[in-house]
Amino acid sequence: KQWYQRRVAITAGKVSMLDSKAPTFAETWGALEKLVEAGKCKNIGLSNFNIAQIEEVLSFAKIKPANLQVESHPHLPNLELLEFCKKHGMSFVAYSPLGNPGSVFRKEDQANLLQDEDVLKIAQKHGVSAGQVLIRYQVDKGNAVIPKSVTPSRIEENLNVFRFSLDAGDMETLNNLYKKVGPEGFRTCGAPQWKHSPKYPFL
């Protein structure tokens, strides 16, 4: 109850989980575990955590995280994070799989994945759209993927990715596309307003 009252006060005051006044990871995870124990939910997981932060949660968790949700696409494949999740039995959910072409955080000169020459070549090879290639890229890595669209025809297209698969050469090309935009790739959802926080996950 004390934690809940504190969290409500934080929410009402618009304090981020990255704010120093917010509950600790241990407090937050403990509250989530209580929801599982009470039968309120079956699984609990993490979003936008880096490896060090996940390891911190694993150090005190009675119930291990079932899932990690992070931005992932060929400009930010997060391959090391994916392997870490596999090692610890956590499913991996990729958001912004198309590289978030409408993001307000995009650089003016940032390459558009949907127009990338290599992506378009793979799309032509399989007779599909660039967006379908980027979604299938996540599927073929064993990830869950959550593309966003408000257009009915695009939503239908995004779902229609199970009549083809990418071969090893396709995957190798897509895994290395991040090198076109920098040694670490490019994150479109970096939340720069929270960079001051010691809990900021995108180092």
Side-chain angles (χ1 to χ4, degrees):
K1 183 177 179 181
Q2 182 181 7
W3 179 91
Y4 177 77
Q5 290 172 337
R6 183 181 179 190
R7 188 70 185 95
V8 169
I10 289 168
T11 303
K14 298 183 179 180
V15 177
S16 162
M17 269 299 294
L18 297 181
D19 193 285
S20 60
K21 298 178 183 178
T24 65
F25 290 161
E27 290 175 314
T28 303
W29 194 254
L32 291 172
E33 289 177 326
K34 288 178 182 178
L35 293 176
V36 176
E37 293 165 355
K40 301 293 185 180
C41 59
K42 292 183 178 180
N43 296 292
I44 50 179
L46 303 168
S47 181
N48 294 327
F49 271 49
N50 60 40
I51 290 177
Q53 290 172 329
I54 300 171
E55 288 176 330
E56 179 183 346
V57 173
L58 290 172
S59 71
F60 53 69
K62 293 185 295 182
I63 301 173
K64 304 300 182 184
N67 169 262
L68 176 69
Q69 177 179 291
V70 293
E71 178 180 350
S72 182
H73 46 74
H75 281 169
L76 189 73
N78 269 319
L79 299 176
E80 183 180 359
L81 193 54
L82 174 59
E83 288 306 310
F84 180 88
C85 287
K86 288 180 178 179
K87 178 181 177 181
H88 291 276
M90 298 170 60
S91 62
F92 188 100
V93 174
Y95 69 74
S96 297
L98 308 184
N100 214 356
S103 172
V104 297
F105 299 114
R106 289 180 64 84
K107 296 178 181 178
E108 290 185 6
D109 60 347
Q110 184 186 342
N112 187 335
L113 271 172
L114 295 173
Q115 299 172 357
D116 181 89
E117 180 181 358
D118 290 317
V119 174
L120 291 173
K121 284 181 180 178
I122 294 171
Q124 183 177 26
K125 170 183 171 181
H126 294 285
V128 297
S129 71
Q132 286 173 311
V133 167
L134 296 175
I135 293 170
R136 186 70 206 195
Y137 169 65
Q138 300 295 338
V139 172
D140 283 347
K141 289 197 295 182
N143 301 339
V145 54
I146 46 176
K148 176 184 177 182
S149 179
V150 296
T151 307
S153 60
R154 189 61 54 79
I155 293 171
E156 184 177 356
E157 178 184 291
N158 289 346
L159 289 169
N160 189 22
V161 295
F162 297 101
R163 60 185 178 86
F164 75 102
S165 59
L166 302 176
D167 60 38
D170 298 333
M171 296 297 288
E172 180 70 15
T173 296
L174 294 171
N175 279 339
N176 286 284
L177 279 189
Y178 73 92
K179 296 175 183 178
K180 290 184 178 183
V181 295
E184 303 297 328
F186 183 77
R187 185 183 304 279
T188 65
C189 302
Q193 69 271 27
W194 292 330
K195 280 188 175 180
H196 67 280
S197 172
K199 296 178 182 177
Y200 186 72
F202 309 132
L203 306 176

